[in-house]
C-alpha cells in the first residue's frame, strides 16, 4: 500500500474494500500453509541440530555436527545422491519428451480421439504398489518375466533387469515413464489447445514447415506448461522412494538406493531422527534452489 502511494497511486474506498475482502478470503489458506508447511520446515531444521531419537527421549543439541558428518564422512549419502540424480537424468527427459510427443499425437480433431487420451492417462491413476508388482513380473529374471520370454522367443538371451547393477536403475526409469507420463501428456495437451490455430495458418501461408511451426509456435506457446512439468518432474524424481522400494528395495548391492530411502533408513531403522532431518533439509534446500533457477531461466524474455 505504501509503495502504491509513493508511486502516485491512490486507492478509492471501493478498491480498499475489495482488497480487504481479498485478504480475508486468502487468510485461511495462508494460516493453514504456515501451520502445515512453513512451521514443519523450521521444526525439521531445529531437529537436525540435535541427536534426536524417534521416541524423543534422548535429545542432545549438537549444532551443525550432523551436517558436518553428512558432507565430509558419509559415503552412503553421496552414493544415494548420485543414484537419485542418475534416476532423475534417466526418467526426467523421458517423461517430458514422451509426454510432449503423446500430446502432439493426440492433439487431433478426430472422432474417438478421447478414448486414446484416456488409455494413455489411465496408468497414472494406478497405485505404486500395483505398478511395482506388475512390472516386477514383467521384468522378472529368467524366462518367468514377460520381456525375457519375448526375448527368448526370438533367440536372445534373458536379461537380469532388476538383479544387475547396470540394468536396475534404467529399468526403474522405464517403469516410472510408463506410469507417470499420462499426467505430463495431459498438461501439454491443455497447453497445445490454448495455442491459436490462426498462428499456424499464418505461418503455413508464409511457407513454414512442420519443424519451423514446432520451433517458433508450439514450443514458445508451451513455455509455461513446460516450466510446470520440468519443475514438477524434478521434485518427483528426487523424492522417488515407494516405486524403488517395491521393485528392488534399493538393491542390488545398494545400486538403486535413492536419497529418500537413505533418509528413511537413518531416521526409522537406526532411530537417528536428527541426522535424517539434516538429510531432509539438505534435500529441501537443493530442490528449492533448483526450482528457483528454473523459474528464473524460463522467465527470461517472458515479456518479449
Amino acid at each position: 500500500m505504501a509503495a502504491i502511494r509513493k508511486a502516485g497511486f491512490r486507492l478509492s474506498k471501493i478498491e480498499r474494500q475489495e482488497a480487504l475482502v481479498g485478504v480475508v478470503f486468502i487468510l485461511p489458506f495462508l494460516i493453514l500453509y504456515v501451520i502445515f508447511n512453513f512451521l514443519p520446515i523450521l521444526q525439521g531444521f531445529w531437529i537436525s541440530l540435535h541427536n534426536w531419537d524417534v521416541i524423543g527421549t534422548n535429545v542432545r543439541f549438537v549444532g551443525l555436527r550432523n551436517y558436518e558428518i553428512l558432507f565430509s564422512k558419509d559415503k552412503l549419502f553421496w552414493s544415494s545422491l548420485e543414484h537419485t540424480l542418475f534416476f532423475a537424468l534417466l526418467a526426467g527427459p523421458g517423461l517430458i519428451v514422451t509426454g510432449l510427443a503423446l500430446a502432439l499425437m493426440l492433439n487431433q480433431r478426430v472422432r474417438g480421439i478421447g478414448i486414446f487420451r484416456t488409455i494413455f492417462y489411465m496408468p497414472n491413476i494406478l497405485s505404486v504398489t500395483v505398478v511395482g508388482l506388475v512390472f516386477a513380473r514383467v521384468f522378472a529374471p529368467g524366462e518367468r518375466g514377460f520381456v525375457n520370454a519375448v526375448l527368448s522367443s526370438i533367440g536372445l538371451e534373458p536379461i537380469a533387469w532388476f538383479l544387475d547393477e547396470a540394468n536396475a536403475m534404467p529399468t526403474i526409469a522405464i517403469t516410472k515413464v510408463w506410469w507417470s507420463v499420462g499426467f505430463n501428456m495431459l498438461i501439454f495437451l491443455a497447453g497445445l489447445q490454448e495455442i491459436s490455430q490462426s498462428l499456424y495458418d499464418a505461418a503455413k501461408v508464409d511457407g513454414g514447415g512442420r519443424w519451423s511451426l514446432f520451433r517458433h509456435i508450439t514450443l514458445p506457446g508451451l513455455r509455461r506448461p513446460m516450466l510446470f512439468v520440468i519443475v514438477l518432474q524434478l521434485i518427483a524424481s528426487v523424492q522417488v522412494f515407494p516405486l524403488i522400494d517395491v521393485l528392488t528395495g534399493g538393491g542390488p548391492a545398494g545400486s538403486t538406493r535413492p536419497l529418500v530411502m537413505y533418509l528413511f533408513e537413518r531416521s526409522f531403522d537406526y532411530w537417528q531422527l536428527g541426522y535424517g532431518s539434516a538429510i531432509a533439509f539438505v534435500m529441501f534446500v537443493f530442490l528449492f534452489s533448483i526450482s528457483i533457477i528454473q523459474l528464473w531461466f524460463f522467465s527470461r524474455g517472458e515479456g518479449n
Side-chain angles (χ1 to χ4, degrees), residues 41-42 44-45 48 67 263 276-286:
I41 292 173
L42 295 180
F45 177 70
S48 73
Y67 293 95
L263 185 160
S277 296
I279 299 173
F281 195 77
V282 169
M283 286 183 58
F284 165 74
V285 173
F286 173 74

Side-chain angles (χ1 to χ4, degrees), residues 82-117:
E82 180 182 347
H83 300 154
T84 302
L85 295 179
F86 182 48
F87 174 81
L89 289 174
L90 289 174
L95 284 164
I96 295 168
V97 173
T98 307
L100 180 57
L102 289 174
L104 291 170
M105 182 177 65
L106 298 175
N107 187 35
Q108 308 293 332
R109 295 181 179 178
V110 180
R111 180 179 296 179
I113 195 70
I115 297 175
F116 293 96
R117 294 173 182 172

Side-chain angles (χ1 to χ4, degrees), residues 159-171:
I159 298 175
W161 299 100
F162 292 125
L163 300 180
D164 184 79
E165 294 184 21
N167 297 326
M169 193 63 86
T171 308

Side-chain angles (χ1 to χ4, degrees), residues 3 119 137 154 173 199 248 263:
I119 291 173
R137 180 63 179 173
I154 58 177
L199 296 176
T248 65
L263 185 160

Side-chain angles (χ1 to χ4, degrees), residues 44 47-53 66 267 271-279:
I47 293 175
S48 73
L49 302 178
H50 296 75
N51 277 339
W52 193 309
D53 62 25
N66 287 328
S267 298
W271 287 27
Q272 298 175 346
L273 199 59
Y275 196 81
S277 296
I279 299 173

